[in-house]
Amino acid sequence: MHRWSELFIPTLREAPADAEVASHKFLVRSGYIRQLSAGVYSYLFLGQRSLNKIMGIVRQEMDKIGQEFFLPALHPRELWEESGRWSVMGDNMFRLKDRKGTDMCLGMTHEEVMTSIARKELRSYKQLPQIWYQIQTKFRDEARPKAGLLRVRQFTMKDAYSFDIDAAGLDVSYLKHYDAYCRIFDRCGLKYVVVEAHSGAMGGSQSHEFMVRTPAGEDQIVGCESCSYAANLEKATSKLAPVEDLAAAGDGRPLEVHTPNMKTIEDVSKFLGTSPKNNIKTLAYMADETDPENGKAKLRAVVALLRGDHQLHETKLSSALAGRQTRPMQEEEIKRFFGSPAGYLGATGIEWAKDLGDRERPVLLVDKALEGRANLVGGANKEGYHLKNLTPGRDFQPTIYADLRTVTAGEDCSNCGGRLRIDTAVEVGHIFKLGYKYSESMGARVLDRNGKEVAPIMGSYGIGIERILTAAIEQSNDENGFWLPPQIAPFEILVTPTNMKDDILSSTALDIVRRLEAAGFEVLLDDRDERPGVKFKDADLVGIPFRVTVGKKVTEGTVEVVRRSTREIQDASIAAITEYFEKLLRPSR
RNA sequence: CGGGGAGUGGCUCAGCCUGGUAGAGCACCUGGUUCGGGACCAGGGGGUCGGAGGUUCAAAUCCUCUCUCCCCGACCA
């Protein structure tokens, strides 16, 4: 029997001063967690119980499609050099040396370790497909940990990896995970959306994120109000209303106009009496062209062109560059490259790379919204001057056209024309098709049906365990505390006798707890010698979805059952209390 | 990494400007009265004022350095 008086449940009347978001405040106030250092937390009794239940659900569903492993968190440097991520991960990876001075790191994910097992052991297509997963501590030296358990440096992740002989097999493994994830989040009682996500620099082809909408989130997701379209902002597209091009001025060739001190699109279009939609926004970046072979650091100029009223999305920019890192050009670099200060930049008069493989010349990325447009206004690369009549493909040759712009709320869905909305959300799960990146670079090979050596195709799938708890709290809280779905709450029922010194109340409460426990419920008895008000306040705080108040009504043979989420109170017969909760919590049986 | 803020008892915070040797509420311990929404009375314990150095007769308070934490931004397979 779990007696509150004997347990360590350090509830706080006030939230710690440094807590901002609801889940952070309540996790600390309810005695679920305590902070050790920035982004590093201890999980106490209630918190660990809840996380254990979440992991139990994850394990059950994952066991249906895969096999549980447990891999080391401590990895040798060589392994990460094989995949190239020792350098790619940069400061986000915790690194250390052992006593011999050998470089080691703490795992951020386990593609390398899993692949190292696969390459040693997998020999034949007959052994495929394989799905291996684990629930493990992950370490990421986040530049800025924040918001309690939302963004931390040490956390628990369920990560899974699939190995298939071909893309069709990967499709199957991917779908299995998609379905398993839906079951997991459903069973955890989360309201979530699945969005298309960009698959990142790792050469992935398809990717979905499982998101929980909450203002505390750090990701932005786009959703259609009319159809099922949903995507991460860094991937989302929309349908744009057509724009009328300006009539050609003069002979139709680029025409220089004097625009003194007109440095912004707004100024220029006002000055010329045009709309920003007929302007070209020119943004200058430097991309990392470090040679992966010899590690020689190199930068290359990248210029992005967008419609004047559009915003660049830097992740899209990076994706368009096959994952290269970018940063805005500095003032000096701009002057050197364009021969003009910012405000008058344009794409004319520069010889651009023909494709991304052409590593010598600068890259010109043009947003798709400018494809087919004509007679636009843009900078002349000359202080105080802009050009009219600019037509992409004629006056400058784009390296590629790409989707670079940020979708904004209220635009039309490219699927159905419905209205798009944007919400912030927390990512609780992410699945994606890795392709051959790890199997190829790390030398995993199996023989296919024809006896030919091929690299297996991989997928990788993650779930943030603590984020499920955090998201659940963000979804269900009020000024007094929070409530968790029974499936992931540390206890399903809290039994609160209003006065422990009253023998009838305390013995009735004990009896109720015994019977509920015998019936398989997870029950916490608040047997503390506290005033009722104190117990009720704590009961509201700690996330347990149901409370049984054992009070005056015992003389009538009843107790009160309080549903935390709605505050709804029902009298229930003491004699039939187990049946009452059977109906409520185990309706399928 | 850039910008901002904060470190004083377990928690929330005052005191700092204007230097004189630390205080409130909550929590905790003892006794009593209470007992359906964070009780009351009486008594009590607990603080290297984040750390180091400096100025001064005297430093929580002024100066320098440093560590830690929080917020905004950058970053985020």
Side-chain angles (χ1 to χ4, degrees):
Chain A
M1 186 178 293
H2 293 281
R3 298 168 186 269
W4 194 313
S5 67
E6 294 167 1
L7 297 171
F8 184 63
I9 306 175
T11 58
L12 263 31
R13 187 181 288 225
E14 285 167 286
D18 52 22
E20 291 281 317
V21 302
S23 62
H24 184 197
K25 287 180 191 164
F26 288 133
L27 281 166
V28 175
R29 278 193 60 198
S30 61
Y32 275 50
I33 64 169
R34 286 293 184 263
Q35 184 174 28
L36 182 63
S37 70
V40 182
Y41 286 85
S42 303
Y43 307 148
L44 310 186
F45 176 64
L46 289 184
Q48 183 61 16
R49 263 188 85 94
S50 176
L51 293 170
N52 278 337
K53 287 177 72 173
I54 292 167
M55 289 188 274
I57 291 172
V58 170
R59 197 168 266 130
Q60 272 186 9
E61 295 300 335
M62 287 307 296
D63 280 342
K64 291 178 185 167
I65 66 167
Q67 308 149 66
E68 182 168 11
F69 285 20
F70 188 76
L71 309 179
L74 191 60
H75 304 172
R77 167 179 182 159
E78 292 84 74
L79 198 57
W80 285 73
E81 284 195 322
E82 288 186 50
S83 69
R85 292 164 98 199
W86 178 262
S87 55
V88 170
M89 287 309 180
D91 290 339
N92 266 7
M93 189 152 71
F94 278 106
R95 296 158 204 259
L96 63 156
K97 286 185 194 295
D98 70 9
R99 62 204 297 160
K100 288 180 288 191
T102 307
D103 284 315
M104 311 202 71
C105 64
L106 298 177
M108 305 175 68
T109 60
H110 282 73
E111 280 85 356
E112 283 81 359
V113 183
M114 282 288 185
T115 307
S116 80
I117 295 170
R119 74 176 166 193
K120 275 184 212 147
E121 315 293 338
L122 296 178
R123 288 284 161 271
S124 160
Y125 73 93
K126 292 178 188 168
Q127 292 169 292
L128 301 182
Q130 289 289 328
I131 293 177
W132 300 340
Y133 82 94
Q134 63 167 343
I135 297 175
Q136 235 275 20
T137 304
K138 298 284 190 281
F139 298 89
R140 291 182 194 180
D141 195 359
E142 290 287 348
R144 187 149 98 78
K146 57 184 273 201
L149 292 190
L150 226 42
R151 185 175 194 74
V152 288
R153 300 197 294 170
Q154 173 178 343
F155 60 99
T156 314
M157 183 185 231
K158 187 290 300 172
D159 51 322
Y161 306 87
S162 65
F163 299 87
D164 282 278
I165 191 67
D166 55 23
L170 175 57
D171 287 345
V172 174
S173 295
Y174 189 83
L175 197 59
K176 279 185 181 177
H177 279 88
Y178 189 107
D179 292 341
Y181 276 33
C182 289
R183 288 196 299 269
I184 288 167
F185 297 125
D186 283 337
R187 285 184 63 187
C188 288
L190 285 181
K191 278 176 261 161
Y192 62 94
V193 284
V194 188
V195 303
E196 292 174 24
H198 93 120
S199 28
M202 291 322 196
S205 52
Q206 195 180 12
S207 172
H208 285 91
E209 287 168 338
F210 292 73
M211 308 292 259
V212 175
R213 285 196 177 101
T214 154
E218 303 193 278
D219 284 301
Q220 293 198 292
I221 56 172
V222 175
C224 176
E225 291 177 352
S226 309
C227 77
S228 62
Y229 176 75
N232 194 304
L233 187 62
E234 58 195 39
K235 164 100 181 184
T237 57
S238 67
K239 192 163 72 186
L240 291 171
V243 179
E244 195 144 324
D245 284 324
L246 298 171
D251 66 352
R253 311 303 300 174
L255 181 67
E256 210 168 81
V257 282
H258 190 41
T259 49
N261 294 319
M262 304 286 161
K263 291 191 175 183
T264 67
I265 300 263
E266 208 177 317
D267 288 345
V268 173
S269 38
K270 217 176 263 174
F271 183 72
L272 297 175
T274 60
S275 154
K277 290 178 181 170
N278 292 310
N279 268 59
I280 297 176
K281 182 182 279 187
T282 305
L283 298 165
Y285 279 79
M286 295 302 266
D288 179 20
E289 284 292 341
T290 301
D291 192 327
E293 299 300 316
N294 57 26
K296 260 195 193 156
K298 235 171 91 182
L299 289 170
R300 169 153 66 156
V302 172
V303 173
L305 263 38
L306 286 98
R307 206 171 86 184
D309 59 328
H310 287 167
Q311 290 291 322
L312 175 75
H313 198 291
E314 291 200 15
T315 307
K316 286 185 173 179
L317 176 70
S318 170
S319 295
L321 292 166
R324 289 172 177 81
Q325 303 275 327
T326 60
R327 62 155 176 85
M329 262 193 211
Q330 291 156 7
E331 217 177 304
E332 286 308 305
E333 293 168 329
I334 288 177
K335 277 189 193 149
R336 208 176 319 133
F337 184 78
F338 291 96
S340 154
Y344 308 96
L345 306 184
T348 50
I350 298 169
E351 196 172 339
W352 303 101
K354 297 228 165 15
D355 55 60
L356 287 179
D358 176 359
R359 298 176 134 249
E360 296 311 310
R361 281 185 264 275
V363 177
L364 179 64
L365 299 174
V366 180
D367 184 66
K368 287 187 170 155
L370 290 179
E371 201 167 5
R373 296 289 309 278
N375 301 328
L376 298 153
V377 176
N381 287 336
K382 180 172 164 189
E383 185 160 9
Y385 290 89
H386 280 77
L387 294 174
K388 285 181 163 182
N389 293 342
L390 284 170
T391 300
R394 183 190 72 185
D395 303 320
F396 48 85
Q397 298 301 322
T399 305
I400 47 171
Y401 285 99
D403 174 33
L404 301 174
R405 58 176 291 265
T406 308
V407 168
T408 56
E411 289 176 357
D412 292 346
C413 173
S414 39
N415 240 8
C416 73
R419 192 173 183 279
L420 294 179
R421 54 182 277 192
I422 298 182
D423 295 291
T424 58
V426 173
E427 176 189 347
V428 291
H430 193 170
I431 58 180
F432 69 100
K433 295 182 178 174
L434 280 176
Y436 299 100
K437 149 121 182 134
Y438 294 92
S439 50
E440 234 152 42
S441 65
M442 297 181 65
R445 301 286 186 273
V446 297
L447 294 183
D448 71 8
R449 223 170 297 260
N450 306 314
K452 207 179 114 205
E453 198 172 66
V454 296
I457 187 165
M458 292 173 62
S460 128
Y461 317 88
I463 288 181
I465 301 296
E466 291 90 342
R467 280 191 173 182
I468 293 181
L469 174 61
T470 310
I473 296 174
E474 290 295 338
Q475 273 188 351
S476 307
N477 68 81
D478 58 23
E479 65 279 8
N480 295 309
F482 62 98
W483 52 95
L484 292 172
Q487 312 88 274
I488 66 169
F491 292 94
E492 295 169 296
I493 304 163
L494 174 63
V495 175
T496 307
T498 55
N499 186 347
M500 276 310 284
K501 286 190 177 137
D502 184 320
D503 287 342
I504 298 180
L505 295 188
S506 58
S507 62
T508 305
L510 269 174
D511 172 58
I512 287 172
V513 172
R514 282 204 192 95
R515 283 160 46 219
L516 286 172
E517 283 193 335
F521 294 104
E522 295 167 319
V523 189
L524 174 62
L525 171 65
D526 190 353
D527 62 338
R528 292 175 298 167
D529 185 18
E530 288 285 357
R531 299 165 60 84
V534 174
K535 294 188 178 188
F536 292 156
K537 286 288 183 193
D538 274 345
D540 286 348
L541 181 61
V542 298
I544 301 175
F546 293 99
R547 181 179 94 208
V548 174
T549 308
V550 183
K552 289 174 257 186
K553 292 176 185 164
V554 292
T555 52
E556 305 160 24
T558 62
V559 288
E560 284 171 0
V561 177
V562 185
R563 185 188 286 261
R564 175 63 181 85
S565 56
T566 59
R567 290 280 165 101
E568 177 196 352
I569 301 174
Q570 275 189 358
D571 284 349
S573 149
I574 295 172
I577 193 72
T578 55
E579 290 78 2
Y580 181 95
F581 279 108
E582 293 282 357
K583 254 184 236 159
L584 204 57
L585 290 171
R586 313 270 191 267
S588 56
R589 286 187 196 164

